[in-house]
Structure formats: C-alpha cells, structure tokens
Amino acid sequence: MIIDQYLEKRDKCVHNVNTCSLMMPEEVAQLFEDYTKTIWDFKLVGRINDFYSDDIIINREGGSDLVGAKEVFKNTLHLMAAFPDLKLEFIDIFAEGNEEDGYSFGQAIYFDGTNTGHSKYGPPTGKSLTDGDVCLGLCECRVEKVDGRWKIVEEWVTRSSEAIEATMKSDEANISEQIEEERAYGN
C-alpha cells in the first residue's frame, strides 16, 4: 500500500508539471513546488531539462555560481549522492508576473538528511544536516519563454552551505581546516 501512495503522490506532481499552463502566478508557485518535489522527492533528476534553460545562471553565495543546465544536473546528483535520504519541506513559495513578461518566484525550504553517501569531501560521515540546527534554502527564480517554452533563465540561491559542507567533512578535515584558518589569520 505504501508504494501505491508514493506513486499516487508522484503521479499527481508529474501531471501538474506536464499540464500547467502558467497563466497565473498561483499556478507558477504550485508548478514549481511540484517540480521541485518531482526532482528531489521522486528522484526524477532528468526533469531538470524541462525547465532550466541551457544557459541558466544560478547565482550562489560565495561566488560558486553554476552556469548551464548540465552543471545544475551534475550538482543535483552530487548532493543526492551525498544525502540519499535528503528531504525538502516547503516553508513558503510565491510568484508574481504575467504571461507576457514572465514570472518571478521565490521559495523557502528546510533541508533534512544524513550524509550516508560519498561526496566531494570523501566517504560518508553519518552526520545529520539538522543536528539541532535548521538547514535552510532560499531561492528566487526568473521564468521566461525561451523558444516558445517556459524556462528558468536565472536563479539566485542561498543555502546553509556551511552546515551542508560541515556535515560532509570528517571531523579530521574540519579540525585541519580550522587550524589552517587560524594560521592564516595569525591566531
């Protein structure tokens, strides 16, 4: 029965992603909530190609911007591999705009998961993203028609990056990094 409920939820999200006409801001907000769940909850990562323009720019904190849908795809897979149980909980999502000029939407999400997969920092640490803290993601996206299809053309995103990276680093790596920072600042 659990698999049937899972598939029903997935199919409902996918149906909305496939049929949404994007005629009103409220539809845009619901579409991108369902779209995000389709990718992250149901692991349909290939759907990134449905709404990210080929030359998307994702402006991220610290200058670690992503350029191109392929980079978005690759980055998403890396995070999923490091946190196979990653869950997103929507706090809020809203949109504004119109069919002619395009839409902007913003969303706030809580992240939760445990580093049980390999990452760019090495083997899994078993650490939780929310070990007593909140792990938050905020983004704003610009949606416009590109070759007759609605696409995200630019995104501004910030996450609890320090928490995410600290979760993927072993305690030895964290201690070594702290020592190097102290040496660099003369402490």
Side-chain angles (χ1 to χ4, degrees):
M1 189 61 164
I2 292 174
I3 191 72
D4 290 337
Q5 292 170 337
Y6 176 86
L7 293 173
E8 185 178 322
K9 286 180 186 177
R10 183 205 62 194
D11 292 348
K12 182 178 178 185
C13 285
V14 169
H15 176 74
N16 188 41
V17 169
N18 289 342
T19 62
C20 184
S21 60
L22 290 167
M23 295 176 70
M24 298 174 13
E26 296 79 18
E27 288 179 300
V28 175
Q30 186 61 54
L31 168 70
F32 284 103
E33 182 174 343
D34 289 343
Y35 174 66
T36 301
K37 289 177 181 177
T38 298
I39 292 169
W40 290 97
D41 292 354
F42 303 115
K43 311 298 186 223
L44 299 175
V45 184
R47 299 301 304 251
I48 286 171
N49 295 315
D50 293 343
F51 286 103
Y52 278 93
S53 67
D54 291 339
D55 57 353
I56 177 79
I57 298 171
I58 297 185
N59 305 283
R60 301 187 326 175
E61 76 278 356
S64 59
D65 298 348
L66 296 176
V67 178
K70 286 181 183 178
E71 287 301 309
V72 174
F73 185 82
K74 192 165 69 172
N75 189 267
T76 301
L77 287 177
H78 286 301
L79 194 57
M80 283 181 170
F83 297 93
D85 66 342
L86 187 67
K87 295 287 179 222
L88 307 177
E89 180 185 333
F90 275 83
I91 301 166
D92 200 5
I93 185 169
F94 63 92
E96 62 183 20
N98 58 62
E99 282 186 272
E100 287 183 28
D101 302 318
Y103 297 95
S104 292
F105 73 89
Q107 63 187 28
I109 297 174
Y110 288 122
F111 289 89
D112 193 9
T114 306
N115 178 220
T116 58
H118 286 267
S119 73
K120 62 184 176 183
Y121 298 105
T125 64
K127 295 178 185 176
S128 169
L129 281 173
T130 56
D131 247 356
D133 292 323
V134 171
C135 189
L136 185 64
L138 303 170
C139 83
E140 179 182 347
C141 296
R142 181 73 192 145
V143 183
E144 297 176 357
K145 281 208 174 171
V146 176
D147 297 328
R149 295 199 59 200
W150 289 105
K151 296 280 187 170
I152 300 172
V153 295
E154 193 162 14
E155 182 173 342
W156 296 264
V157 66
T158 187
R159 294 180 179 156
S160 300
S161 296
E162 287 182 16
I164 294 171
E165 289 183 10
T167 303
M168 292 189 285
K169 290 181 182 177
S170 69
D171 289 333
E172 280 182 26
N174 283 326
I175 291 169
S176 298
E177 193 173 275
Q178 287 174 342
I179 291 169
E180 286 180 35
E181 285 178 13
E182 287 175 8
R183 285 183 186 152
Y185 291 107
N187 293 333

PDB file of all heavy atoms in Angstrom, residues 3 5-7 9 29 80 92 103 108 133 140 147 162 175 187:
ATOM      1  N   ILE A   3       3.737   1.825  -1.413  1.00  0.00           N
ATOM      2  CA  ILE A   3       4.226   2.125  -2.769  1.00  0.00           C
ATOM      3  C   ILE A   3       3.126   2.763  -3.610  1.00  0.00           C
ATOM      4  O   ILE A   3       3.388   3.671  -4.395  1.00  0.00           O
ATOM      5  CB  ILE A   3       4.818   0.875  -3.469  1.00  0.00           C
ATOM      6  CG1 ILE A   3       5.561   1.249  -4.756  1.00  0.00           C
ATOM      7  CG2 ILE A   3       3.758  -0.135  -3.802  1.00  0.00           C
ATOM      8  CD1 ILE A   3       6.851   1.931  -4.538  1.00  0.00           C
ATOM      9  N   GLN A   5       0.697   4.710  -2.527  1.00  0.00           N
ATOM     10  CA  GLN A   5       0.574   6.099  -2.084  1.00  0.00           C
ATOM     11  C   GLN A   5       1.717   6.946  -2.639  1.00  0.00           C
ATOM     12  O   GLN A   5       1.512   8.077  -3.062  1.00  0.00           O
ATOM     13  CB  GLN A   5       0.558   6.180  -0.555  1.00  0.00           C
ATOM     14  CG  GLN A   5      -0.690   5.580   0.060  1.00  0.00           C
ATOM     15  CD  GLN A   5      -0.565   5.457   1.574  1.00  0.00           C
ATOM     16  OE1 GLN A   5       0.526   5.411   2.134  1.00  0.00           O
ATOM     17  NE2 GLN A   5      -1.723   5.388   2.238  1.00  0.00           N
ATOM     18  N   TYR A   6       2.910   6.388  -2.617  1.00  0.00           N
ATOM     19  CA  TYR A   6       4.083   7.074  -3.159  1.00  0.00           C
ATOM     20  C   TYR A   6       3.879   7.384  -4.645  1.00  0.00           C
ATOM     21  O   TYR A   6       4.088   8.508  -5.097  1.00  0.00           O
ATOM     22  CB  TYR A   6       5.328   6.200  -2.951  1.00  0.00           C
ATOM     23  CG  TYR A   6       6.591   6.739  -3.557  1.00  0.00           C
ATOM     24  CD1 TYR A   6       7.390   7.639  -2.860  1.00  0.00           C
ATOM     25  CD2 TYR A   6       6.996   6.332  -4.830  1.00  0.00           C
ATOM     26  CE1 TYR A   6       8.559   8.131  -3.415  1.00  0.00           C
ATOM     27  CE2 TYR A   6       8.159   6.824  -5.393  1.00  0.00           C
ATOM     28  CZ  TYR A   6       8.945   7.721  -4.681  1.00  0.00           C
ATOM     29  OH  TYR A   6      10.099   8.210  -5.241  1.00  0.00           O
ATOM     30  N   LEU A   7       3.461   6.370  -5.391  1.00  0.00           N
ATOM     31  CA  LEU A   7       3.248   6.551  -6.828  1.00  0.00           C
ATOM     32  C   LEU A   7       2.113   7.527  -7.119  1.00  0.00           C
ATOM     33  O   LEU A   7       2.183   8.301  -8.078  1.00  0.00           O
ATOM     34  CB  LEU A   7       2.981   5.203  -7.504  1.00  0.00           C
ATOM     35  CG  LEU A   7       4.171   4.236  -7.527  1.00  0.00           C
ATOM     36  CD1 LEU A   7       3.740   2.884  -8.074  1.00  0.00           C
ATOM     37  CD2 LEU A   7       5.331   4.812  -8.308  1.00  0.00           C
ATOM     38  N   LYS A   9       1.263  10.132  -5.238  1.00  0.00           N
ATOM     39  CA  LYS A   9       1.814  11.473  -5.000  1.00  0.00           C
ATOM     40  C   LYS A   9       2.722  11.895  -6.155  1.00  0.00           C
ATOM     41  O   LYS A   9       2.650  13.024  -6.633  1.00  0.00           O
ATOM     42  CB  LYS A   9       2.601  11.508  -3.690  1.00  0.00           C
ATOM     43  CG  LYS A   9       1.748  11.489  -2.460  1.00  0.00           C
ATOM     44  CD  LYS A   9       2.628  11.526  -1.219  1.00  0.00           C
ATOM     45  CE  LYS A   9       1.803  11.364   0.033  1.00  0.00           C
ATOM     46  NZ  LYS A   9       2.660  11.326   1.229  1.00  0.00           N
ATOM     47  N   ALA A  29       3.564  29.175  -8.772  1.00  0.00           N
ATOM     48  CA  ALA A  29       4.006  28.729  -7.455  1.00  0.00           C
ATOM     49  C   ALA A  29       3.744  27.233  -7.271  1.00  0.00           C
ATOM     50  O   ALA A  29       4.630  26.488  -6.848  1.00  0.00           O
ATOM     51  CB  ALA A  29       3.309  29.545  -6.363  1.00  0.00           C
ATOM     52  N   MET A  80      22.491  14.657  -4.083  1.00  0.00           N
ATOM     53  CA  MET A  80      21.660  13.464  -3.853  1.00  0.00           C
ATOM     54  C   MET A  80      22.511  12.263  -3.463  1.00  0.00           C
ATOM     55  O   MET A  80      22.104  11.460  -2.621  1.00  0.00           O
ATOM     56  CB  MET A  80      20.852  13.121  -5.106  1.00  0.00           C
ATOM     57  CG  MET A  80      19.663  13.992  -5.325  1.00  0.00           C
ATOM     58  SD  MET A  80      18.804  13.431  -6.832  1.00  0.00           S
ATOM     59  CE  MET A  80      17.310  14.385  -6.709  1.00  0.00           C
ATOM     60  N   ASP A  92       7.420  28.161   2.291  1.00  0.00           N
ATOM     61  CA  ASP A  92       6.544  29.047   1.526  1.00  0.00           C
ATOM     62  C   ASP A  92       7.072  29.161   0.103  1.00  0.00           C
ATOM     63  O   ASP A  92       8.266  28.972  -0.150  1.00  0.00           O
ATOM     64  CB  ASP A  92       6.488  30.432   2.162  1.00  0.00           C
ATOM     65  CG  ASP A  92       5.264  31.236   1.731  1.00  0.00           C
ATOM     66  OD1 ASP A  92       4.394  30.696   1.015  1.00  0.00           O
ATOM     67  OD2 ASP A  92       5.177  32.409   2.116  1.00  0.00           O
ATOM     68  N   TYR A 103       7.560  35.470 -15.228  1.00  0.00           N
ATOM     69  CA  TYR A 103       7.260  35.390 -13.804  1.00  0.00           C
ATOM     70  C   TYR A 103       8.552  35.351 -12.997  1.00  0.00           C
ATOM     71  O   TYR A 103       9.597  34.904 -13.485  1.00  0.00           O
ATOM     72  CB  TYR A 103       6.475  34.110 -13.492  1.00  0.00           C
ATOM     73  CG  TYR A 103       5.128  34.043 -14.149  1.00  0.00           C
ATOM     74  CD1 TYR A 103       4.959  33.396 -15.369  1.00  0.00           C
ATOM     75  CD2 TYR A 103       4.019  34.620 -13.549  1.00  0.00           C
ATOM     76  CE1 TYR A 103       3.712  33.319 -15.974  1.00  0.00           C
ATOM     77  CE2 TYR A 103       2.771  34.555 -14.144  1.00  0.00           C
ATOM     78  CZ  TYR A 103       2.623  33.900 -15.356  1.00  0.00           C
ATOM     79  OH  TYR A 103       1.386  33.834 -15.965  1.00  0.00           O
ATOM     80  N   ALA A 108      11.141  29.214   0.052  1.00  0.00           N
ATOM     81  CA  ALA A 108      11.943  28.915   1.235  1.00  0.00           C
ATOM     82  C   ALA A 108      11.696  27.454   1.588  1.00  0.00           C
ATOM     83  O   ALA A 108      10.553  26.992   1.596  1.00  0.00           O
ATOM     84  CB  ALA A 108      11.537  29.822   2.391  1.00  0.00           C
ATOM     85  N   ASP A 133      20.218  22.050  14.522  1.00  0.00           N
ATOM     86  CA  ASP A 133      20.157  23.317  13.802  1.00  0.00           C
ATOM     87  C   ASP A 133      19.175  23.224  12.654  1.00  0.00           C
ATOM     88  O   ASP A 133      18.745  22.141  12.261  1.00  0.00           O
ATOM     89  CB  ASP A 133      21.541  23.684  13.233  1.00  0.00           C
ATOM     90  CG  ASP A 133      22.538  24.010  14.325  1.00  0.00           C
ATOM     91  OD1 ASP A 133      22.133  24.617  15.331  1.00  0.00           O
ATOM     92  OD2 ASP A 133      23.721  23.660  14.168  1.00  0.00           O
ATOM     93  N   GLU A 140      15.250  32.516  -5.529  1.00  0.00           N
ATOM     94  CA  GLU A 140      14.362  33.317  -6.361  1.00  0.00           C
ATOM     95  C   GLU A 140      14.708  32.972  -7.804  1.00  0.00           C
ATOM     96  O   GLU A 140      15.881  32.889  -8.171  1.00  0.00           O
ATOM     97  CB  GLU A 140      14.574  34.804  -6.126  1.00  0.00           C
ATOM     98  CG  GLU A 140      13.680  35.668  -6.988  1.00  0.00           C
ATOM     99  CD  GLU A 140      13.915  37.154  -6.808  1.00  0.00           C
ATOM    100  OE1 GLU A 140      14.598  37.557  -5.853  1.00  0.00           O
ATOM    101  OE2 GLU A 140      13.406  37.920  -7.649  1.00  0.00           O
ATOM    102  N   ASP A 147      12.268  30.015 -26.787  1.00  0.00           N
ATOM    103  CA  ASP A 147      11.862  29.182 -27.931  1.00  0.00           C
ATOM    104  C   ASP A 147      10.460  28.598 -27.734  1.00  0.00           C
ATOM    105  O   ASP A 147      10.208  27.419 -28.000  1.00  0.00           O
ATOM    106  CB  ASP A 147      12.882  28.062 -28.186  1.00  0.00           C
ATOM    107  CG  ASP A 147      14.248  28.590 -28.561  1.00  0.00           C
ATOM    108  OD1 ASP A 147      14.311  29.664 -29.204  1.00  0.00           O
ATOM    109  OD2 ASP A 147      15.260  27.945 -28.207  1.00  0.00           O
ATOM    110  N   GLU A 162      27.471  26.253   4.872  1.00  0.00           N
ATOM    111  CA  GLU A 162      28.444  25.840   5.886  1.00  0.00           C
ATOM    112  C   GLU A 162      27.967  24.587   6.603  1.00  0.00           C
ATOM    113  O   GLU A 162      28.757  23.678   6.860  1.00  0.00           O
ATOM    114  CB  GLU A 162      28.690  26.974   6.880  1.00  0.00           C
ATOM    115  CG  GLU A 162      29.504  28.103   6.282  1.00  0.00           C
ATOM    116  CD  GLU A 162      29.780  29.212   7.293  1.00  0.00           C
ATOM    117  OE1 GLU A 162      29.618  28.984   8.519  1.00  0.00           O
ATOM    118  OE2 GLU A 162      30.155  30.301   6.843  1.00  0.00           O
ATOM    119  N   ILE A 175      38.825  19.845  11.638  1.00  0.00           N
ATOM    120  CA  ILE A 175      39.870  20.321  12.550  1.00  0.00           C
ATOM    121  C   ILE A 175      41.042  20.879  11.753  1.00  0.00           C
ATOM    122  O   ILE A 175      41.560  21.953  12.061  1.00  0.00           O
ATOM    123  CB  ILE A 175      40.318  19.180  13.506  1.00  0.00           C
ATOM    124  CG1 ILE A 175      39.179  18.862  14.489  1.00  0.00           C
ATOM    125  CG2 ILE A 175      41.593  19.575  14.249  1.00  0.00           C
ATOM    126  CD1 ILE A 175      39.390  17.594  15.295  1.00  0.00           C
ATOM    127  N   ASN A 187      46.131  33.704  14.481  1.00  0.00           N
ATOM    128  CA  ASN A 187      45.589  33.441  15.833  1.00  0.00           C
ATOM    129  C   ASN A 187      46.327  32.316  16.503  1.00  0.00           C
ATOM    130  O   ASN A 187      46.717  31.367  16.029  1.00  0.00           O
ATOM    131  CB  ASN A 187      44.090  33.089  15.764  1.00  0.00           C
ATOM    132  CG  ASN A 187      43.276  34.275  15.304  1.00  0.00           C
ATOM    133  OD1 ASN A 187      43.659  35.410  15.506  1.00  0.00           O
ATOM    134  ND2 ASN A 187      42.157  33.993  14.680  1.00  0.00           N
TER     135      ASN A 187
END
